[in-house]
Amino acid sequence: MTIQKDTLIEMMGELFRQMHHLSPMAAKILSVLAIEGCSAGLTFEELLERLHTSKSTLSTSINLLLDKDLVYYHIKEGKRRKYFKSFPFDKRFEGFLRLIRYEKDFTIRFQQYMKEQNDIQPFFPEKRISNLGLFLDYLEQIESLTQDFLKKLKPEEIREEL
């Protein structure tokens, strides 16, 4: 591997580690698959060779990534090996969009609850209720930007066929 590629893998691994709450090895596997395995995928043996880790560590980490729906595998016709790949770029942002929508729904319900409780007996500061309104505006902007982004990806055929 080149120094530039190694640096990118390390940086992406740290991003994935924090974003998905992964072990350093699972995050590194995911970043290697995203950078090197994007077209054909990588076999278990190829990952062992690239990552210099034990079979059990690699197996445990791959199973975690499969359980979290961050990677998948396919088997080529006439072969027995699994080729592991990270999910396409847009799948990551579709998950992000679901999370934003859930957060937005919760925030709307919580803000309504706070208002209803204050109608009965003032408990929640108006500033807190107002700040939730600002947060809702923010979530709506993020939702809109993410939707626009995903719409732009699909026509350009960036999405891989699973």
Side-chain angles (χ1 to χ4, degrees), residues 13-24:
E14 182 58 23
L15 173 68
F16 288 150
R17 188 187 68 73
Q18 291 181 34
M19 184 184 302
H20 300 294
H21 309 286
L22 299 172
S23 69

PDB file of all heavy atoms in Angstrom, residues 13-24:
ATOM      1  N   GLY A  13     -10.936   4.973   8.731  1.00  0.00           N
ATOM      2  CA  GLY A  13     -11.160   4.047   9.828  1.00  0.00           C
ATOM      3  C   GLY A  13     -11.546   4.776  11.106  1.00  0.00           C
ATOM      4  O   GLY A  13     -12.452   4.358  11.828  1.00  0.00           O
ATOM      5  N   GLU A  14     -10.871   5.876  11.383  1.00  0.00           N
ATOM      6  CA  GLU A  14     -11.203   6.659  12.580  1.00  0.00           C
ATOM      7  C   GLU A  14     -12.602   7.263  12.459  1.00  0.00           C
ATOM      8  O   GLU A  14     -13.360   7.289  13.429  1.00  0.00           O
ATOM      9  CB  GLU A  14     -10.158   7.759  12.808  1.00  0.00           C
ATOM     10  CG  GLU A  14     -10.392   8.601  14.042  1.00  0.00           C
ATOM     11  CD  GLU A  14     -10.444   7.812  15.351  1.00  0.00           C
ATOM     12  OE1 GLU A  14      -9.900   6.690  15.441  1.00  0.00           O
ATOM     13  OE2 GLU A  14     -11.048   8.337  16.308  1.00  0.00           O
ATOM     14  N   LEU A  15     -12.943   7.721  11.277  1.00  0.00           N
ATOM     15  CA  LEU A  15     -14.294   8.252  11.042  1.00  0.00           C
ATOM     16  C   LEU A  15     -15.334   7.160  11.302  1.00  0.00           C
ATOM     17  O   LEU A  15     -16.305   7.377  12.037  1.00  0.00           O
ATOM     18  CB  LEU A  15     -14.419   8.769   9.614  1.00  0.00           C
ATOM     19  CG  LEU A  15     -15.800   9.204   9.145  1.00  0.00           C
ATOM     20  CD1 LEU A  15     -16.240  10.463   9.894  1.00  0.00           C
ATOM     21  CD2 LEU A  15     -15.816   9.438   7.652  1.00  0.00           C
ATOM     22  N   PHE A  16     -15.134   5.986  10.718  1.00  0.00           N
ATOM     23  CA  PHE A  16     -16.078   4.882  10.911  1.00  0.00           C
ATOM     24  C   PHE A  16     -16.116   4.412  12.364  1.00  0.00           C
ATOM     25  O   PHE A  16     -17.162   4.042  12.871  1.00  0.00           O
ATOM     26  CB  PHE A  16     -15.728   3.705  10.000  1.00  0.00           C
ATOM     27  CG  PHE A  16     -16.020   3.929   8.538  1.00  0.00           C
ATOM     28  CD1 PHE A  16     -15.253   3.305   7.566  1.00  0.00           C
ATOM     29  CD2 PHE A  16     -17.062   4.752   8.124  1.00  0.00           C
ATOM     30  CE1 PHE A  16     -15.526   3.497   6.219  1.00  0.00           C
ATOM     31  CE2 PHE A  16     -17.337   4.948   6.781  1.00  0.00           C
ATOM     32  CZ  PHE A  16     -16.571   4.320   5.828  1.00  0.00           C
ATOM     33  N   ARG A  17     -14.965   4.405  13.031  1.00  0.00           N
ATOM     34  CA  ARG A  17     -14.908   3.979  14.429  1.00  0.00           C
ATOM     35  C   ARG A  17     -15.806   4.862  15.287  1.00  0.00           C
ATOM     36  O   ARG A  17     -16.597   4.376  16.092  1.00  0.00           O
ATOM     37  CB  ARG A  17     -13.468   4.028  14.948  1.00  0.00           C
ATOM     38  CG  ARG A  17     -13.291   3.405  16.333  1.00  0.00           C
ATOM     39  CD  ARG A  17     -11.898   3.622  16.880  1.00  0.00           C
ATOM     40  NE  ARG A  17     -11.624   5.008  17.183  1.00  0.00           N
ATOM     41  CZ  ARG A  17     -12.136   5.680  18.227  1.00  0.00           C
ATOM     42  NH1 ARG A  17     -12.960   5.082  19.050  1.00  0.00           N
ATOM     43  NH2 ARG A  17     -11.821   6.932  18.423  1.00  0.00           N
ATOM     44  N   GLN A  18     -15.688   6.164  15.080  1.00  0.00           N
ATOM     45  CA  GLN A  18     -16.499   7.090  15.866  1.00  0.00           C
ATOM     46  C   GLN A  18     -17.967   7.076  15.439  1.00  0.00           C
ATOM     47  O   GLN A  18     -18.858   7.085  16.277  1.00  0.00           O
ATOM     48  CB  GLN A  18     -15.943   8.511  15.737  1.00  0.00           C
ATOM     49  CG  GLN A  18     -14.602   8.684  16.414  1.00  0.00           C
ATOM     50  CD  GLN A  18     -14.085  10.095  16.294  1.00  0.00           C
ATOM     51  OE1 GLN A  18     -14.843  11.053  16.295  1.00  0.00           O
ATOM     52  NE2 GLN A  18     -12.773  10.232  16.196  1.00  0.00           N
ATOM     53  N   MET A  19     -18.196   7.036  14.159  1.00  0.00           N
ATOM     54  CA  MET A  19     -19.563   7.109  13.629  1.00  0.00           C
ATOM     55  C   MET A  19     -20.398   5.878  13.982  1.00  0.00           C
ATOM     56  O   MET A  19     -21.568   5.995  14.330  1.00  0.00           O
ATOM     57  CB  MET A  19     -19.519   7.281  12.104  1.00  0.00           C
ATOM     58  CG  MET A  19     -20.865   7.474  11.451  1.00  0.00           C
ATOM     59  SD  MET A  19     -20.747   7.556   9.645  1.00  0.00           S
ATOM     60  CE  MET A  19     -19.649   8.927   9.425  1.00  0.00           C
ATOM     61  N   HIS A  20     -19.796   4.706  13.869  1.00  0.00           N
ATOM     62  CA  HIS A  20     -20.538   3.460  14.047  1.00  0.00           C
ATOM     63  C   HIS A  20     -20.196   2.732  15.351  1.00  0.00           C
ATOM     64  O   HIS A  20     -20.644   1.601  15.557  1.00  0.00           O
ATOM     65  CB  HIS A  20     -20.302   2.518  12.859  1.00  0.00           C
ATOM     66  CG  HIS A  20     -20.725   3.091  11.552  1.00  0.00           C
ATOM     67  ND1 HIS A  20     -22.038   3.362  11.232  1.00  0.00           N
ATOM     68  CD2 HIS A  20     -19.995   3.472  10.470  1.00  0.00           C
ATOM     69  CE1 HIS A  20     -22.100   3.863  10.008  1.00  0.00           C
ATOM     70  NE2 HIS A  20     -20.882   3.943   9.528  1.00  0.00           N
ATOM     71  N   HIS A  21     -19.371   3.353  16.187  1.00  0.00           N
ATOM     72  CA  HIS A  21     -18.976   2.761  17.469  1.00  0.00           C
ATOM     73  C   HIS A  21     -18.356   1.379  17.257  1.00  0.00           C
ATOM     74  O   HIS A  21     -18.793   0.387  17.833  1.00  0.00           O
ATOM     75  CB  HIS A  21     -20.157   2.694  18.445  1.00  0.00           C
ATOM     76  CG  HIS A  21     -20.863   4.002  18.586  1.00  0.00           C
ATOM     77  ND1 HIS A  21     -20.329   5.056  19.288  1.00  0.00           N
ATOM     78  CD2 HIS A  21     -22.031   4.446  18.079  1.00  0.00           C
ATOM     79  CE1 HIS A  21     -21.144   6.090  19.222  1.00  0.00           C
ATOM     80  NE2 HIS A  21     -22.181   5.752  18.483  1.00  0.00           N
ATOM     81  N   LEU A  22     -17.332   1.351  16.424  1.00  0.00           N
ATOM     82  CA  LEU A  22     -16.668   0.104  16.067  1.00  0.00           C
ATOM     83  C   LEU A  22     -15.328  -0.017  16.764  1.00  0.00           C
ATOM     84  O   LEU A  22     -14.730   0.984  17.169  1.00  0.00           O
ATOM     85  CB  LEU A  22     -16.422   0.055  14.554  1.00  0.00           C
ATOM     86  CG  LEU A  22     -17.637   0.100  13.638  1.00  0.00           C
ATOM     87  CD1 LEU A  22     -17.192   0.238  12.187  1.00  0.00           C
ATOM     88  CD2 LEU A  22     -18.493  -1.135  13.829  1.00  0.00           C
ATOM     89  N   SER A  23     -14.847  -1.242  16.851  1.00  0.00           N
ATOM     90  CA  SER A  23     -13.479  -1.464  17.318  1.00  0.00           C
ATOM     91  C   SER A  23     -12.537  -0.925  16.244  1.00  0.00           C
ATOM     92  O   SER A  23     -12.923  -0.810  15.067  1.00  0.00           O
ATOM     93  CB  SER A  23     -13.226  -2.956  17.528  1.00  0.00           C
ATOM     94  OG  SER A  23     -13.212  -3.620  16.280  1.00  0.00           O
ATOM     95  N   PRO A  24     -11.301  -0.616  16.614  1.00  0.00           N
ATOM     96  CA  PRO A  24     -10.358  -0.138  15.591  1.00  0.00           C
ATOM     97  C   PRO A  24     -10.200  -1.112  14.417  1.00  0.00           C
ATOM     98  O   PRO A  24     -10.123  -0.680  13.267  1.00  0.00           O
ATOM     99  CB  PRO A  24      -9.045   0.027  16.365  1.00  0.00           C
ATOM    100  CG  PRO A  24      -9.488   0.334  17.769  1.00  0.00           C
ATOM    101  CD  PRO A  24     -10.727  -0.510  17.969  1.00  0.00           C
TER     102      PRO A  24
END
